[in-house]
Amino acid sequence: MIEKIRKNVNLKLVFFILILTIFLGIIFFSSSLIVTSDGSWYYWYTGILDGELPFSQWSITRGPTFPIIIWIFKHLFGTNDFGVLIGFFIFYLMIITFAALILHKVLKEYNNKSSNLIYWFLFIVLIALNPLIIGYSHTLLTEAVAPAMILLTTYFAYLWKEVSWIKNKKKSIFYTLIFSLILIFMWFLKQPYAAIIIFIIGISAVLSAIYKKSIKILVEKVIMIFVACIILVISIVGWNEILKHNGVDTEGKNSTNGFLSRGIISGISSYYIEIPSQTFCDINYINNTKLSKNEKEKINKLATSADNWCNRIKLYAVYEQNGSTLKNSVIITDENGLSTLDSLEFLILNTFENPKYTILAYAKNYLSTINLYPVRVTNNNYIATTGPGTVIINENMVNGLATYYDDDRCWWEKPMYRNNPKILNAKDVSYMSNFCSNTKENTFVTNIVKKINPFYLELFKITMLLVAPLSIVMFIMFLKDKNNVKYFITTILFGSSFLHVLFHASLGAIIDRYAYAAFPSAILGIIILLIPKNRSNSLINENLNKDFKKKKVTEKNSIFVIPAYNESKHIEKVIKDIRKNMPSSDIVVTNDYSKDNTKEIVESLGFPCLNVPFNMGYAMAVQTGIKYAYENNYDYVIQFDADGQHLSSEVKKLFKKMKETDANVVIGSRFLEKTGYKHPFFRRVGTKMFSVIIKLFCKKKITDPTSGFQLLDRNVIKRYSQMGKYPEFPDANLIIEMLMEGYKIEEVSVKM
């Protein structure tokens, strides 16, 4: 039993993970818990879940996810700060684990084993030991949980690219359910966090469609996302019904509608300044040239139909930098507060009229959210602008790093919140009497962190500034190399991080803490970006070639790989011809879900027939045969068509060429010499175009890149069998890839 475990488990890796976990645990538990005013409210809600407080006390602005998580922590690990920290340590390890899985995927694809330690070192220093990531894992804030779910979604979004409803309905349903559950989890954790989940799977859907070259894939995945959103809406309606049933007000300014309407206006508030309603009432709005006809009609209708109509109007002025008023504009409110539709109309109309002001407002907000532009706090609103009262809201410092700046605290409240009735009520909840253990920090650790945290704060700013241009660059790189896992994943990591911050910026939520949720993803993207283009394969191939040269090139350990689809008319003749001319070579046929009796003919002749459950296409049928050859330790594969086009009598020419040139691939060419082969005009043009492309990029003349008649050595068999995405049309693109990786390709003239 022990021996079996040793064979199947990498004990060194398990030991390393165990030591790393213990090391991170020592650092994690050396600091105490930080509870902010928001955190105290979340903990206060666990009293409702315990039945100690009435459910009617629940606020529509607070989702149930975080209170339920804390409630589970305190019942599993204890009603004190240490019990909560144990729970958050699990989420911290989840951040590290999901980020490590994504990094491992890329490193495995690149196979840079000699330099992998560099990137794992960067991973530990920039992510695992990042004081911001550890610090936020010590706060009773949703940011302690969100990054883990974001990275989990990213990992699934990468795996999702291979999932198709047509090929695997069960997997499609599984991923739809997974994304639905994560979406629900994040919405009820904090509403804007659901947006980043949509961004991640949305970007993955687009990239998958490009990767598969199929608009059907895009439609299919968009439908799956739509279904996930429908499930989310159902859950929101269900939760609101629960709240209503328990006497909670689900309407008004704290509703989802109120949240969105206020956010839309807040997003452009650095240029669109609200003017007191009384000021508006004192002016003659009918003759005001700054108001549109539609706005005047709305005001007039309201003024003649409602009492105190002026109090239900919001007037905004657009100010230029010199302070002069450029335009007045209004939005109408209803009895329940600001309407989302009115806010959207206001945004769209003013953006069309003054696009630069909306763009500048969002740009300012973005820079403020990543702590690069000052923020002025006015009437509990945050405005990205300079001037009197301007401050920098740095919650990454006062929350994320707060655990390193006090000696012995586990409970913290701003003085302004200490008289808040809900906070005072929370003090009466039973957990409060023993919640704080007042444990001392590990001074040695915290002193080190205090010295290095300026680096990590600057790293946050620089990283979140770069995600916008990097997402564009990575997408362009992906378009050039769709099989490159690095570009696929970094486009998701950078793109979703940028859109996440932009989404908050568009809603005026310009506190750097909100950008932090995407920070671990962005840092992971930077690490992956640093991994160079894989050159090690060339060195590996050179070493393999040296070993391979010791063997004599011979057809004795070779196998014909024949993809076949409805070839019952030709397959028997092709196999018998091979047996006649190449008796020492084996044969395997990949029956690509033929509807005729191809399978029966092959098996009656006594040769292996690989029968696949659906029609995979030529490329996958070829790769299936190559995988069979690799697993059965053949040294050479002869790619051979089943329609009788290729002549087995010509195979010896390919072996002779390989023996003379030490090539990894020998292509049987129809055009290297004049053989009398007749090629249709358009195919001839296409073949010539491919030849030019290969010559241009690889400085190698290949006259027949579309030939399916090829001899592959063991090195290429291994490479082709391990390709995660074997090209759908394995012609010039595959030849270019192999030449660029250092494989040697030659041609020999053959008859067909």
Side-chain angles (χ1 to χ4, degrees), residues 7 18 64 68 89 105 111 118 190 207 210 244 263 282 288 337 353 355 522 597-598 605 665-666 696-697 700 752:
K7 287 182 179 179
L18 181 62
I68 289 173
F89 182 62
K105 278 284 182 185
N111 200 29
I118 297 172
K190 183 179 283 186
L207 297 182
I210 296 171
K244 283 181 183 178
D282 292 340
N288 192 325
E353 187 170 345
N597 62 336
T598 297
L605 294 171
V665 179
V666 176
L696 181 66
F697 284 96
K700 177 73 178 179
M752 292 194 190

Side-chain angles (χ1 to χ4, degrees), residues 563 565 590 592 612 614-624 728:
Y565 178 67
T590 303
D592 195 19
V612 296
F614 56 88
N615 182 249
M616 300 188 299
Y618 174 77
M620 293 302 292
V622 170
Q623 192 189 32
T624 299
E728 189 173 353

Side-chain angles (χ1 to χ4, degrees), residues 232-399:
L232 171 64
V233 170
I234 292 171
S235 70
I236 294 170
V237 172
W239 173 246
N240 284 346
E241 287 302 314
I242 292 172
L243 293 178
K244 283 181 183 178
H245 180 73
N246 286 279
V248 178
D249 180 16
T250 58
E251 302 297 334
K253 66 178 183 178
N254 288 330
S255 65
T256 301
N257 175 69
F259 162 75
L260 288 173
S261 58
R262 290 197 313 276
I264 290 166
I265 302 303
S266 296
I268 53 175
S269 59
S270 59
Y271 278 101
Y272 292 79
I273 310 301
E274 184 178 354
I275 294 175
S277 59
Q278 193 58 45
T279 304
F280 178 77
C281 294
D282 292 340
I283 65 175
N284 187 341
Y285 64 87
I286 297 297
N287 297 325
N288 192 325
T289 58
K290 301 294 181 76
L291 300 178
S292 68
K293 182 180 178 181
N294 183 46
E295 288 168 336
K296 290 177 182 179
E297 288 177 356
K298 281 188 175 184
I299 296 168
N300 191 50
K301 183 179 179 181
L302 185 66
T304 56
S305 63
D307 295 330
N308 299 320
W309 61 273
C310 190
N311 294 329
R312 291 167 61 184
I313 291 176
K314 285 186 179 289
L315 173 67
Y316 290 86
V318 182
Y319 283 95
E320 291 181 318
Q321 291 296 325
N322 61 11
S324 62
T325 302
L326 178 67
K327 179 184 182 296
N328 291 333
S329 190
V330 296
I331 48 179
I332 313 298
T333 62
D334 59 24
E335 291 179 358
N336 293 319
L338 191 61
S339 163
T340 300
L341 291 177
D342 278 339
S343 299
L344 280 172
E345 181 185 5
F346 176 84
L347 173 65
I348 292 168
L349 290 175
N350 283 287
T351 298
F352 271 110
E353 187 170 345
N354 301 299
K356 79 170 185 176
Y357 291 109
T358 300
I359 294 170
L360 286 173
Y362 286 168
K364 275 186 176 183
N365 288 351
Y366 189 97
L367 294 176
S368 296
T369 312
I370 63 174
N371 226 210
L372 284 171
Y373 197 86
V375 175
R376 189 173 70 209
V377 183
T378 339
N379 298 325
N380 291 325
N381 291 323
Y382 300 101
I383 300 175
T385 183
T386 55
T390 298
V391 295
I392 296 177
I393 307 299
N394 190 348
E395 291 206 8
N396 284 339
M397 173 68 79
V398 299
N399 288 327

Side-chain angles (χ1 to χ4, degrees), residues 330-598:
V330 296
I331 48 179
I332 313 298
T333 62
D334 59 24
E335 291 179 358
N336 293 319
L338 191 61
S339 163
T340 300
L341 291 177
D342 278 339
S343 299
L344 280 172
E345 181 185 5
F346 176 84
L347 173 65
I348 292 168
L349 290 175
N350 283 287
T351 298
F352 271 110
E353 187 170 345
N354 301 299
K356 79 170 185 176
Y357 291 109
T358 300
I359 294 170
L360 286 173
Y362 286 168
K364 275 186 176 183
N365 288 351
Y366 189 97
L367 294 176
S368 296
T369 312
I370 63 174
N371 226 210
L372 284 171
Y373 197 86
V375 175
R376 189 173 70 209
V377 183
T378 339
N379 298 325
N380 291 325
N381 291 323
Y382 300 101
I383 300 175
T385 183
T386 55
T390 298
V391 295
I392 296 177
I393 307 299
N394 190 348
E395 291 206 8
N396 284 339
M397 173 68 79
V398 299
N399 288 327
L401 294 173
T403 190
Y404 301 108
Y405 283 86
D406 269 343
D407 289 334
D408 58 349
R409 67 180 181 184
C410 72
W411 183 264
W412 170 70
E413 290 290 355
K414 294 177 183 176
M416 62 184 289
Y417 288 109
R418 284 181 181 152
N419 293 323
N420 187 296
K422 285 196 173 182
I423 301 297
L424 293 175
N425 289 337
K427 305 294 185 184
D428 296 330
V429 180
S430 59
Y431 75 83
M432 283 296 177
S433 60
N434 63 346
F435 186 79
C436 293
S437 58
N438 292 318
T439 53
K440 292 277 185 179
E441 295 183 39
N442 185 321
T443 315
F444 176 74
V445 172
T446 54
N447 283 341
I448 292 175
V449 173
K450 288 174 186 177
K451 291 178 181 178
I452 63 174
N453 78 66
F455 163 77
Y456 286 94
L457 286 172
E458 293 305 313
L459 180 67
F460 168 84
K461 297 175 187 178
I462 294 169
T463 301
M464 302 312 292
L465 179 65
L466 289 176
V467 290
L470 285 177
S471 59
I472 297 170
V473 172
M474 289 301 100
F475 180 65
I476 293 171
M477 296 300 291
F478 169 76
L479 293 177
K480 292 181 178 179
D481 187 1
K482 300 177 186 66
N483 292 318
N484 195 313
V485 61
K486 170 179 170 179
Y487 301 142
F488 190 99
I489 287 179
T490 50
T491 302
I492 294 176
L493 291 170
F494 291 136
S496 61
S497 298
F498 166 63
L499 291 173
H500 174 72
V501 179
L502 184 63
F503 179 72
H504 277 87
S506 68
L507 295 177
I510 52 177
I511 300 174
D512 56 350
R513 172 163 61 94
Y514 300 149
Y516 160 78
F519 177 54
S521 298
I523 283 290
L524 179 61
I526 295 290
I527 295 171
I528 293 173
L529 187 63
L530 295 175
I531 301 173
K533 185 173 178 62
N534 188 15
R535 296 187 182 92
S536 63
N537 276 342
S538 300
L539 298 174
I540 292 169
N541 291 333
E542 288 174 12
N543 292 332
L544 285 171
N545 285 336
K546 288 177 183 177
D547 294 336
F548 205 75
K549 287 175 185 176
K550 295 174 184 177
K551 294 183 178 181
K552 186 178 180 181
V553 178
T554 172
E555 58 265 23
K556 284 185 179 179
N557 195 30
S558 64
I559 185 170
F560 281 77
V561 169
I562 307 174
Y565 178 67
N566 294 337
E567 294 291 357
S568 59
K569 293 181 180 179
H570 308 107
I571 193 67
E572 183 173 354
K573 184 179 178 181
V574 168
I575 291 175
K576 287 182 176 179
D577 186 62
I578 292 171
R579 300 313 299 148
K580 176 184 175 183
N581 293 296
M582 298 288 293
S584 60
S585 297
D586 291 335
I587 299 170
V588 64
V589 175
T590 303
N591 177 35
D592 195 19
Y593 204 65
S594 298
K595 296 179 181 179
D596 60 11
N597 62 336
T598 297

